[in-house]
Amino acid sequence: MARPPSLGELPPDYTPPTRPAAPQILVGSLKAPLWLRAYFQGLLFSLGCRIQKHCGKVLFLGLLAFGALALGLRVAVIETDLEQLWVEVGSRVSRELQYTKEKLGEEAAYTSQILIQTPRQEGENILTPEALRLHLQAALVASKVQVSLYGKSWDLNKICYKSGVPLIENGMIERMIEKLFPCVILTPLDCFWEGAKLQGGSAYLPGRPDIQWTNLDPEQLLEELGPFASLEGFQELLDKAQAPSVAQELTGGCHGFSHKFMHWQEELLLGGMTRDPQGELLRAEALQSTFLLMSPRQLYEHFRGDYQTHDIGWSEEQAGTVLQAWQRRFVQLAQEALPENASQQIHAFSSTTLDDILHAFSEVSAARVVGGYLLMLAYACVTMLRWDCAQSQGAVGLAGVLLVALAVASGLGLCALLGIAFNAATTQVLPFLALGIGVDDIFLLAHAFTEAPPGSPLQDRMGECLLRTGASVALTSINNIVAFFMAALVPIPALRAFSLQAAIVVSCNFAAVMLVFPAVLSLDLHRRHCRRLDVLCCFSSPCSARVIQIVPQELADRTVSVGIAHLTATVQAFTHGEASSRHVVTSLPPQAHLVPPPSDPLSSELFGPGGSTRDLLGQEEGTRKKASCKSLSCARWNLAHFARNQFAPLLLQSHAKAVVLVLFGALLGLSLYGATLVQDGLALTDVVPRGTKEHAFLSAQLRYFSLYEVALVTQGGFDYAHSQRALFDLHQRFSSLKAVLPPPAAQTPRTWLHYYRNWLQGIQAAFDQDWASGRITHHSYRNGSEDGALAYKLLVQTGDAQEPLDFSQLTTRKLVDKEGLIPPELFYVGLTMWVNSDPLGLAASQANFYPPPPEWLHDKYDTTGENLRIPAAQPLEFAQFPFLLHGLQKTADFMEAIEGARAACTEAGQAGVRAYPSGSPFLFWEQYLGLRRCFLLAVCILLVCTFLVCALLLLNPWTAGIIVLVLAMMTVELFGIMGFLGIKLSAIPVVILVASVGIGVEFTVHVALGFLTTQGSRNLRAARALELTFAPVTDGAVSTLLGLLMLAGSNFDFIVRYFFVVLTVLTFLGLLHGLVLLPVLLSILGPPPEVVQLYKENPEVLNPPVPRPGGLRWGLSPTLPQSFARVTTSVTVALHPPPLPGTYIHPASDEPAWSPAATPAANSSSNLTTRVPYPATG
């Protein structure tokens, strides 16, 4: 590039004036906060200068480091397990769940596949033959589902849950009975014979067709199998398990294949029921059938070692794959079972469907991520483009957004390397939120860099930029980091992971903005110095900047103390044009006068030449002569111009302040009322995309079948045998809860202890009859009944290992005493006998004993006596009572049920019984018991931390207190607006509310810092702060909104409502509070200025020498050429601290005398003004 041309010629009679001595600045007592902040900014200045000096190396190493961390995304793990995502860490629910898994391996004994049928015309009665036939058609299609995996065919009969399969010594007969044993299907079709058509089991006997439930004759089957095995036990089993009556009505529910043990209540089968005054069922609006499948562990254990799976390397993972494939096919075929013109519609759902929804919810939408970042790239580029090529920063905007994108990727990669699992909030929200927050600081640094003090040397330009803006960037970033770390106090794993990941990503953004982005700005400075085009930097720029060198006249010995004083210098100059169209402005000695501050507090003082201890964004570009290229008049308008000339004069008028305070007070009052409208809860329908089949199913289930299976778990650590009365009382107390569905009057109790006791009473009655008839004697039980023989064996047990049998007890004791209690010495022996002899009762009780009682087979014809030795069960460490909760629609209903269940367990604990409730309501709703307390605690801690951080970095508790007050108002108002929008309080809004404190700092701290470090009255300082910060704060808000805009296109209504809407409201609240309320509060309650300006007045300045005749005349001549210019500049002289390490101070005494040759070529691309001593503040 060619060297800039030499300076133009001056008038021949011009001689530069003699430079007076440096001004004497009267220094009062130096404030410690000012000195400490100056020290911190001195370090930032040194950092900026070193980055600028080694910008290429810093950029290379920074990109290398961030790129290496981004590779950690390859090991990222996305968590979709609901228990791992939503169960509170370290809570009692977490400990109880861990205890259950330690004892049982997995909590669920089966998985449910559900069909719900509703009429297409809402409100129609579904209890019609046509509707039931359509339900049978859909259920048949679903029950015939088959999938082929690992070279095998898997149908319902192989993978369904079968309750109460009896143990038979003959293995072949046992396998055949197992194939014939029906699956557990809860359906209204069980009230009719057609319900048997859903059973698909079959078995083969030579010489006859396949045996199926639809053609089974149980008595004939027993007759044919009798010669091969003793089936008396199975005969009694069939007597108990009667086939359902065809004439059975739906009123009162239906029975499964075991009429005695399997009674399906109406609430499990029918929804939207209407009854007559006598309680008879009149109509219903929904039917429900539930198919039960084995869990992956059960399916693996069932086929382990089986001849069907010995050649495929059978594993639990393969079992899970089989179940998932079958469930997906089940849902697909069931939804397609009815024609589109049918009067009914089928909604199908399975546990795999929920997993698929969570996986889809957690997937990263590449299109939205790319679209969001492209939109941000375009906005940054267009916002930073200027008509003046030397001031344009479009390429800087592009590079900054790309750098933030890399920082976000590196932060997420670091999270993956640290083992923090990703979830839906991470993948759907964090990339956009982090982009919006990170670009805010990019705008601030870029704006400050292009508006650097004109007198700063070229090699110190980056240091000056960090000196003036580094404190603001550090303050906002540190507050954001602290905010997200405080949000991690919310004990929900998904939200804790999101908060930690957000804190780490913001930290990476901070490092990128403070270390790498200055290197980008330094390279752009080189481009501007070389007069290259923006973006297309390979081409030379047609524009060149004028260089204006203004050397002020120094003040004389007379001292004048004023509140705010401005040294105004008027300079007349002309340019000399060269053929290359590059122009240089030559400066001449000015005439100057000292202007005292006007008496008017706002209108005269507000927008005169301003000064500050810290120029947040430098002098307004309109006050200096810029490029020689002509620009459009509209291009000279900017946000700073709007803030200075329109916004601040209107806002800071007395009546405007009053209006602002009244409006924000009204907003706060409305928000306090809205806060009372906020309800707790998060429905699954909020997570699933609207308009999908899954959403339709969940809506129908929530409306018609709000039933939840729960269990009351009793632990180890107490003696079950001696605590039977306490166990019965616990069951009675739990059954009396409002939410517990009461069993029908004729139904057998639903607890294992009742089933166990009733079975003992039954065999005791059989023994008494056999004893009375003489079929059983002291020495023989073989002539008695099966139940009588079982009672005989149990009555002779003593529980003593040395003398286990005592035949004298046969008539002196009972298996159940008069109080309904089982003798403690017989408790565990009888438990072994009951578990092995009454499989249907055991299955109906859903006891899930641990340790499981040992296997024992009863043989009435055993003559060796060994069959009398019954192994006692181990002391129980886990057992459960099943219950059904109903009527749970609102979160308040869940919380009432949870509190009642916990109170029952606490009361039982006082009686020595250790118990806890288990089930999905306790897993996912118990968090709401302490959610608001946790929320208030996190917000209070965060506000205190924000106060301490602001007070530490600003070194002004007064200002920190005002900032915290505004942030607290924002949080309350956001909470209240959530109430008006109908957004419920759950862990996700809590995280956003906590994070809003940190995000709100982005909108407040820049204004507060600008006010704190400016001199003058409160009105002037508030106006100056607005002028300097209005543009970057607004750009930051727009960039945040652009980052959030992609969330509005999410398929999940949950993302739109709980993230996009809430964060958008937060952004607008932050903008209003930061640019409207905070300046008004500062103008009324703001702290005093940190420095006082003292000047010495020089008479020579006020009375400049008259030029010699024939020389250049002072004053503007109407005949001056167009190249003549008038430049007015303002210089503020303030206190400054002693030199600090790394701080650049240009003392006036070292200012070289002006001469035409003293203008360096290196400064020809910038507008330079006089540099005076000033403190490196803020």
Side-chain angles (χ1 to χ4, degrees):
M1 175 177 290
R3 182 183 180 85
S6 59
L7 297 173
E9 297 180 359
L10 291 172
D13 55 353
Y14 173 75
T15 56
T18 304
R19 185 176 181 85
Q24 301 177 12
I25 302 176
L26 301 181
V27 182
S29 61
L30 185 62
K31 294 184 178 180
L34 187 64
W35 191 92
L36 292 174
R37 193 182 312 121
Y39 182 86
F40 174 64
Q41 291 177 308
L43 299 178
L44 292 175
F45 179 85
S46 300
L47 176 64
C49 291
R50 292 175 182 174
I51 292 176
Q52 181 175 345
K53 183 178 180 181
H54 305 285
C55 57
K57 299 176 184 177
V58 171
L59 182 61
F60 174 77
L61 293 177
L63 294 179
L64 185 63
F66 284 121
L69 289 177
L71 294 178
L73 288 173
R74 300 177 60 184
V75 299
V77 176
I78 298 180
E79 182 63 72
T80 58
D81 185 354
L82 280 177
E83 293 179 0
Q84 297 297 324
L85 289 174
W86 293 105
V87 177
E88 295 184 32
V89 177
S91 65
R92 61 184 176 186
V93 174
S94 177
R95 295 191 298 270
E96 291 163 358
L97 183 62
Q98 183 62 31
Y99 183 85
T100 301
K101 291 185 176 181
E102 287 178 359
K103 302 306 178 184
L104 298 185
E106 55 184 290
E107 184 180 13
Y110 50 79
T111 59
S112 300
Q113 330 310 310
I114 303 175
L115 296 182
I116 294 179
Q117 178 178 320
T118 57
R120 292 191 183 273
Q121 188 67 33
E122 187 174 349
E124 285 187 356
N125 183 22
I126 204 170
L127 299 183
T128 63
E130 178 189 0
L132 288 173
R133 281 194 294 268
L134 291 174
H135 194 74
L136 173 63
Q137 178 182 339
L140 279 174
V141 171
S143 66
K144 305 304 180 186
V145 170
Q146 290 188 356
V147 294
S148 296
L149 281 175
Y150 311 113
K152 310 293 179 182
S153 179
W154 305 89
D155 58 16
L156 176 63
N157 190 58
K158 288 184 177 180
I159 65 176
C160 70
Y161 176 76
K162 297 183 179 182
S163 175
V165 180
L167 294 176
I168 300 177
E169 289 183 293
N170 189 307
M172 182 186 72
I173 301 298
E174 182 180 8
R175 284 194 295 270
M176 187 178 69
I177 294 298
E178 182 183 340
K179 289 181 179 180
L180 278 175
F181 214 84
C183 299
V184 178
I185 303 175
L186 289 67
T187 174
L189 298 171
D190 276 343
C191 286
F192 311 92
W193 173 246
E194 283 78 4
K197 294 182 179 181
L198 302 181
Q199 302 297 338
S202 64
Y204 171 74
L205 277 180
R208 61 171 297 167
D210 286 349
I211 304 172
Q212 299 180 353
W213 275 97
T214 53
N215 63 11
L216 174 64
D217 183 349
E219 293 182 359
Q220 182 183 358
L221 176 65
L222 290 180
E223 184 180 347
E224 295 181 7
L225 295 180
F228 302 100
S230 175
L231 297 177
E232 291 188 19
F234 193 58
Q235 174 69 52
E236 294 190 10
L237 173 65
L238 288 180
D239 291 339
K240 298 176 182 178
Q242 302 171 6
S245 172
V246 177
Q248 185 72 31
E249 298 178 354
L250 283 171
T251 300
C254 300
H255 292 82
F257 66 89
S258 173
H259 192 276
K260 179 180 179 180
F261 293 105
M262 296 183 177
H263 178 254
W264 320 136
Q265 295 173 252
E266 290 178 351
E267 290 80 2
L268 292 171
L269 309 176
L270 305 175
M273 292 179 288
T274 303
R275 302 178 184 275
D276 62 13
Q278 289 74 35
E280 294 294 327
L281 183 65
L282 293 178
R283 62 195 311 273
E285 298 180 15
L287 300 175
Q288 177 175 262
S289 292
T290 305
F291 296 74
L292 302 185
L293 304 184
M294 286 187 280
S295 66
R297 172 71 63 84
Q298 287 177 325
L299 185 59
Y300 165 70
E301 294 290 346
H302 181 73
F303 282 100
R304 186 176 62 173
D306 191 271
Y307 72 96
Q308 301 180 68
T309 58
H310 74 280
D311 59 339
I312 61 175
W314 184 242
S315 65
E316 187 173 346
E317 182 180 356
Q318 290 176 320
T321 303
V322 169
L323 289 172
Q324 290 175 358
W326 194 93
Q327 289 170 338
R328 292 189 181 99
R329 186 64 175 165
F330 168 88
V331 172
Q332 178 187 355
L333 293 182
Q335 291 172 344
E336 300 172 354
L338 300 186
E340 294 183 0
N341 59 354
S343 62
Q344 307 290 317
Q345 54 186 347
I346 293 293
H347 311 288
F349 198 80
S350 70
S351 57
T352 299
T353 305
L354 180 59
D355 293 337
D356 291 341
I357 290 173
L358 293 175
H359 278 290
F361 189 53
S362 303
E363 288 180 354
V364 179
S365 175
R368 287 196 296 115
V369 171
V370 172
Y373 278 73
L374 287 178
L375 185 61
M376 189 66 74
L377 283 170
Y379 175 77
C381 183
V382 171
T383 303
M384 294 186 179
L385 281 174
R386 297 288 185 274
W387 290 93
D388 183 351
C389 303
Q391 299 295 325
S392 182
Q393 292 180 301
V396 169
L398 294 175
V401 173
L402 293 176
L403 179 61
V404 170
L406 179 61
V408 171
S410 65
L412 293 177
L414 180 57
C415 294
L417 294 174
L418 293 176
I420 303 176
F422 289 16
N423 55 66
T426 306
T427 58
Q428 297 283 336
V429 178
L430 191 53
F432 306 103
L433 179 61
L435 174 65
I437 294 176
V439 172
D440 294 353
D441 294 331
I442 294 293
F443 280 118
L444 184 64
L445 280 179
H447 197 167
F449 188 74
T450 191
E451 299 294 338
S456 58
L458 196 65
Q459 66 273 15
D460 298 337
R461 193 67 60 85
M462 195 63 246
E464 291 286 349
C465 179
L466 288 185
L467 181 146
R468 290 177 294 117
T469 60
S472 296
V473 174
L475 189 57
T476 56
S477 297
I478 291 174
N479 271 285
N480 276 328
I481 294 169
V482 172
F484 283 116
F485 275 124
M486 288 298 104
L489 292 176
V490 177
I492 308 302
L495 283 309
R496 175 168 291 180
F498 173 80
S499 302
L500 293 175
Q501 288 161 346
I504 293 173
V505 168
V506 171
S507 301
C508 290
N509 275 342
F510 178 48
V513 169
M514 292 295 289
L515 300 177
V516 183
F517 188 65
V520 175
L521 290 173
S522 301
L523 293 176
D524 187 67
L525 178 64
H526 179 71
R527 188 269 308 168
R528 292 162 58 189
H529 176 60
C530 296
R531 303 189 186 98
R532 297 285 186 177
L533 282 176
D534 190 16
V535 183
L536 304 175
C537 55
C538 296
F539 301 94
S540 298
S541 168
C543 306
S544 73
R546 296 176 180 270
V547 178
I548 302 177
Q549 180 82 13
I550 300 176
V551 180
Q553 299 289 344
E554 304 299 344
L555 300 175
D557 296 331
R558 187 164 58 88
T559 300
V560 180
S561 176
V562 293
I564 299 176
H566 306 290
L567 181 64
T568 303
T570 302
V571 181
Q572 296 175 347
F574 64 92
T575 62
H576 175 74
E578 298 292 339
S580 62
S581 78
R582 294 186 175 91
H583 301 275
V584 177
V585 177
T586 303
S587 301
L588 297 181
Q591 62 177 12
H593 60 280
L594 193 64
V595 182
S599 59
D600 184 72
L602 180 60
S603 43
S604 300
E605 177 186 358
L606 193 54
F607 300 112
S612 67
T613 62
R614 161 195 176 275
D615 246 345
L616 181 63
L617 299 176
Q619 297 292 335
E620 164 59 27
E621 57 183 315
T623 62
R624 301 190 301 270
K625 187 66 179 177
K626 283 193 163 184
S628 60
C629 297
K630 297 293 182 181
S631 61
L632 298 176
S633 58
C634 63
R636 291 192 294 269
W637 184 93
N638 55 30
L639 290 174
H641 181 275
F642 168 75
R644 182 181 67 248
N645 295 329
Q646 282 87 32
F647 183 71
L650 176 64
L651 179 66
L652 296 179
Q653 294 178 12
S654 298
H655 64 276
K657 294 180 185 178
V659 171
V660 167
L661 293 178
V662 170
L663 290 179
F664 276 90
L667 177 61
L668 182 61
L670 285 175
S671 300
L672 290 174
Y673 170 72
T676 63
L677 304 178
V678 178
Q679 299 180 354
D680 295 342
L682 177 64
L684 193 56
T685 51
D686 295 332
V687 179
V688 180
R690 294 184 181 273
T692 61
K693 295 179 179 179
E694 292 80 7
H695 188 276
F697 171 87
L698 293 171
S699 300
Q701 186 186 48
L702 182 63
R703 178 178 180 181
Y704 297 117
F705 299 100
S706 184
L707 290 171
Y708 296 89
E709 294 182 357
V710 300
L712 186 58
V713 175
T714 52
Q715 303 172 261
F718 71 97
D719 188 356
Y720 281 70
H722 290 85
S723 303
Q724 297 175 58
R725 176 57 60 195
L727 289 172
F728 284 126
D729 292 342
L730 173 61
H731 171 259
Q732 181 61 34
R733 170 69 187 276
F734 204 92
S735 301
S736 64
L737 296 178
K738 175 183 175 182
V740 173
L741 181 65
Q747 183 180 346
T748 306
R750 293 175 56 88
T751 68
W752 66 267
L753 194 54
H754 287 90
Y755 282 111
Y756 179 25
R757 183 181 66 178
N758 292 348
W759 179 81
L760 290 176
Q761 290 173 335
I763 65 173
Q764 178 72 61
F767 173 84
D768 291 342
Q769 291 180 0
D770 291 340
W771 182 271
S773 63
R775 292 192 295 270
I776 294 180
T777 65
H778 278 91
H779 305 290
S780 176
Y781 55 81
R782 285 182 292 178
N783 294 326
S785 63
E786 290 287 340
D787 284 350
L790 287 171
Y792 179 96
K793 294 180 180 182
L794 187 57
L795 285 169
V796 299
Q797 305 295 321
T798 64
D800 186 359
Q802 301 296 329
E803 298 289 338
L805 302 177
D806 184 357
F807 293 94
S808 64
Q809 298 178 145
L810 283 172
T811 57
T812 60
R813 69 188 308 182
K814 296 291 183 181
L815 298 179
V816 179
D817 62 21
K818 295 180 180 180
E819 296 181 359
L821 302 180
I822 304 168
E825 64 273 14
L826 296 180
F827 187 86
Y828 287 108
V829 176
L831 189 65
T832 298
M833 183 177 289
W834 172 63
V835 166
N836 290 276
S837 302
D838 188 19
L840 280 177
L842 175 65
S845 72
Q846 302 180 37
N848 283 336
F849 292 128
Y850 182 87
E855 289 188 4
W856 175 80
L857 290 176
H858 165 60
D859 185 359
K860 190 173 70 170
Y861 301 101
D862 179 80
T863 58
T864 63
E866 290 298 323
N867 200 241
L868 290 176
R869 299 183 181 275
I870 305 172
Q874 296 293 321
L876 293 177
E877 298 179 16
F878 184 96
Q880 62 183 22
F881 301 156
F883 292 93
L884 281 176
L885 302 184
H886 72 122
L888 303 182
Q889 297 286 341
K890 300 179 181 179
T891 303
D893 300 331
F894 286 95
M895 295 174 66
E896 180 182 357
I898 292 171
E899 290 173 345
R902 291 294 182 184
C905 293
T906 301
E907 183 178 329
Q910 297 174 355
V913 175
R914 300 177 56 194
Y916 62 85
S918 176
S920 58
F922 303 96
L923 289 179
F924 306 122
W925 274 272
E926 187 157 341
Q927 57 178 284
Y928 295 104
L929 294 178
L931 185 63
R932 297 204 176 208
R933 177 188 56 80
C934 183
F935 163 59
L936 291 176
L937 177 63
V939 169
C940 292
I941 293 177
L942 180 55
L943 288 174
V944 172
C945 291
T946 302
F947 175 81
L948 295 177
V949 171
C950 292
L952 181 64
L953 294 183
L954 295 178
L955 297 166
N956 192 303
W958 191 337
T959 305
I962 295 177
I963 292 175
V964 169
L965 173 64
V966 173
L967 295 177
M969 290 181 61
M970 286 176 55
T971 304
V972 172
E973 289 163 6
L974 180 61
F975 188 70
I977 292 175
M978 284 173 48
F980 288 116
L981 294 176
I983 297 176
K984 297 180 180 180
L985 184 68
S986 63
I988 293 174
V990 163
V991 167
I992 297 178
L993 286 167
V994 174
S996 67
V997 178
I999 297 175
V1001 173
E1002 296 274 354
F1003 301 99
T1004 55
V1005 73
H1006 303 310
V1007 177
L1009 193 55
F1011 177 88
L1012 184 64
T1013 57
T1014 306
Q1015 298 90 33
S1017 67
R1018 288 190 175 102
N1019 274 343
L1020 177 62
R1021 293 157 63 204
R1024 182 63 175 160
L1026 276 175
E1027 176 188 356
L1028 299 177
T1029 60
F1030 193 90
V1033 170
T1034 303
D1035 283 338
V1038 173
S1039 67
T1040 302
L1041 289 175
L1042 288 177
L1044 299 175
L1045 186 61
M1046 290 298 102
L1047 299 178
S1050 175
N1051 296 327
F1052 295 92
D1053 184 64
F1054 171 78
I1055 293 293
V1056 177
R1057 283 173 54 81
Y1058 285 81
F1059 284 99
F1060 172 73
V1061 172
V1062 175
L1063 289 173
T1064 299
V1065 171
L1066 171 60
T1067 303
F1068 281 109
L1069 285 177
L1071 202 60
L1072 289 174
H1073 285 75
L1075 297 181
V1076 178
L1077 178 62
L1078 182 60
V1080 170
L1081 291 178
L1082 290 173
S1083 68
I1084 299 174
L1085 305 173
E1090 291 184 333
V1091 296
V1092 178
Q1093 297 170 317
L1094 299 176
Y1095 293 91
K1096 282 191 175 183
E1097 185 178 331
N1098 189 339
E1100 295 182 5
V1101 176
L1102 300 178
N1103 300 286
V1106 178
R1108 294 188 294 272
L1112 185 63
R1113 305 175 67 183
W1114 296 100
L1116 182 61
S1117 172
T1119 61
L1120 290 175
Q1122 292 184 357
S1123 58
F1124 206 83
R1126 175 186 294 267
V1127 180
T1128 301
T1129 186
S1130 300
V1131 178
T1132 300
V1133 182
L1135 301 180
H1136 66 92
L1140 301 171
T1143 304
Y1144 175 76
I1145 296 184
H1146 189 168
S1149 58
D1150 296 335
E1151 185 78 41
W1154 184 91
S1155 66
T1159 305
N1163 292 339
S1164 62
S1165 62
S1166 303
N1167 298 324
L1168 303 175
T1169 59
T1170 302
R1171 234 188 124 72
V1172 296
Y1174 66 96
T1177 59

